[in-house]
Amino acid sequence: GSLDSLGNPLPSDLLPAETTRLTGEDRTEVEVGFPGAAGDVRWLRISTRRLSDEGPPYPCLVSFVDVTAARLTREELRIAEEQSRTDRVRLQSILDHLPLGIYLRDLNERYQVVNAHFVREFGRPSDEIIGRTAHELHPEALVDWAEDLERPVRERGETVSGESIAPHPDGTDHYHWIIKYPVTDDDGKLISIGGAILDITDRRRAELALADAEAEQAALRRVATAVAQDVGAAAVFDLVAEELARLLGLDVGIVTRFENADEASIVGSWSADATMTLPETLKLDGTNASSQVAVTGRAARVDEYPANAPTGPSAGVAAPITIAGKLWGTVAAGRTRSGTLPSHAEERATNFADLAATAIGNADAWQALARQAATDALTGLPNYRTFHDRLAVESERAARYGRELSLVLLDIDAFKSINDQHGHGTGDTVLAEFAQRLTTQARTSDLVARVGGEEFAWLLPETSAAVAYAVIERARKAIEQMPFGAVGTVTLSAGVCSLAESGVAGTLVQFADAAMYRAKAGGRNATFRHTAAAP
């Protein structure tokens, strides 16, 4: 028997010669197999041509070519190709089940092979990736980084690796460990660049979270140490502002205390630019992050402040500081340079504010206690102790550097009669109003203190006795000219002395006090000055 081209039995009447003899149809290059006794098959490619129209049967010419060797070669190629396809499918299946992205790119950066993990990580089907270049598919910054990384692969055939960050289809940035390696031909010539991408986002985020937590703890330890060392509330507030700004990688930090619904005091601040001057108050007008915290009680961010905003940050984040269950203020940080705030800024600011609130509350309480200890409750002026502390400092400084220092001691005239005629409540009102009027006459460098019932001290650094005399005289006349309500006119008696006349602080007080009593003894409503010639 014979075989058709597919190896199936071929009836004798379907052989090319028989077909032509019976039907008169020519046949061209029909492959027919003829099994041999040893089980081998000889393949012939047969062609037939009818020689005349007399028939059937028709006479015909038969020609043939032995294609056994070619047939075997073709079969071997078919088997090889089939095996190759099977191997590719198996290899692709292996690649697709790997827990990392695999790719192959030609030297023009066009993708040739990608696996399923790469497709999922990239968020596009493979037919949108294969044949396209890295420049067409990836952000330029990432492509530039990748080109720098793979330069040793192209130039020296080295395998390299590095960490990258790239946008992910879920909308977040993912961290990857990238391996790039050379693919060469049999002669060692570079023909492609292979790559493996391992997503290390979870591990990297855990590491960053741990680093953030450690940085926050270190910042809080520094703040707590400052509180324990009693450096003062202002220094603690400044430190809190600095620590938050540094934690977030920003260049301005502030601590605000809410005074009312419209305004907050900036009680602590820090700037990377030492020349920057920040305001003392902050308007709660809704344009800044602290304003929004004041309304909602929750952390807020403003990625772009209005163009007409005062000089300062161009963007900011703020978190509430809650003390004893009440919204006390905010700790905030901002950016003066171009760029965006960190994506996690609100969360980190909130965590830091929650932990720093205790330190801020303690510092604020200590400041309040210190203020109470140093201040006269009725008039708000520094008290006796504060006056003597400042006197010691100023007299030592004046003596060391040869500077002027003068002291005025003054007393409200006939104050006992005010209490007797109008009551102690009215007397207290007169004391408070008297202190306020006196303070308006003083310079910022001066110290006006209440050192007794109706007795006040006025310390004037960098001031001679003659100038101090003129200053207190002007104040005395101003107070005399403006009545105190129903009490009417109130006058004072004052004594002046300079350190140059007294020599030491203790004698300075003694001489000024003696001069004041001379003024009282001389009829009151007057100023006397102690001099060496007229003690």
Side-chain angles (χ1 to χ4, degrees), residues 8-90:
N8 299 316
L10 182 68
S12 59
D13 58 344
L14 294 182
L15 288 170
E18 288 302 308
T19 300
T20 301
R21 289 180 69 248
L22 295 175
T23 65
E25 296 178 0
D26 295 341
R27 304 299 302 276
T28 304
E29 295 187 346
V30 179
E31 285 192 10
V32 179
F34 297 93
D40 57 333
V41 178
R42 180 172 295 280
W43 291 90
L44 302 179
R45 185 175 295 151
I46 302 172
S47 297
T48 61
R49 182 167 61 85
R50 188 182 64 191
L51 295 178
S52 73
D53 295 334
E54 297 179 0
Y58 298 97
C60 65
L61 176 66
V62 179
S63 61
F64 60 87
V65 177
D66 190 328
V67 295
T68 303
R71 174 90 179 198
L72 290 174
T73 300
R74 191 166 68 245
E75 181 64 16
E76 289 173 355
L77 288 174
R78 185 192 67 78
I79 294 172
E81 288 177 357
E82 182 65 28
Q83 185 62 46
S84 177
R85 282 194 297 271
T86 302
D87 290 344
R88 285 198 299 272
V89 170
R90 289 174 178 171

Side-chain angles (χ1 to χ4, degrees), residues 103 169 381:
Y103 68 86
L381 295 179

Side-chain angles (χ1 to χ4, degrees), residues 362-379:
N362 288 339
D364 193 43
W366 278 110
Q367 184 182 52
L369 289 173
R371 189 164 50 245
Q372 291 174 10
T375 305
D376 173 60
L378 177 63
T379 63

Side-chain angles (χ1 to χ4, degrees), residues 69 274 277 329 337 464:
T277 301
R337 304 182 300 272
S464 66

Side-chain angles (χ1 to χ4, degrees), residues 453-483:
E454 65 271 20
E455 188 174 345
F456 297 81
W458 189 341
L459 192 61
L460 298 95
E462 306 286 346
T463 307
S464 66
V467 173
Y469 180 88
V471 169
I472 187 59
E473 272 293 282
R474 182 171 62 248
R476 181 183 66 79
K477 293 174 182 177
I479 289 173
E480 179 186 13
Q481 292 169 1
M482 186 177 294

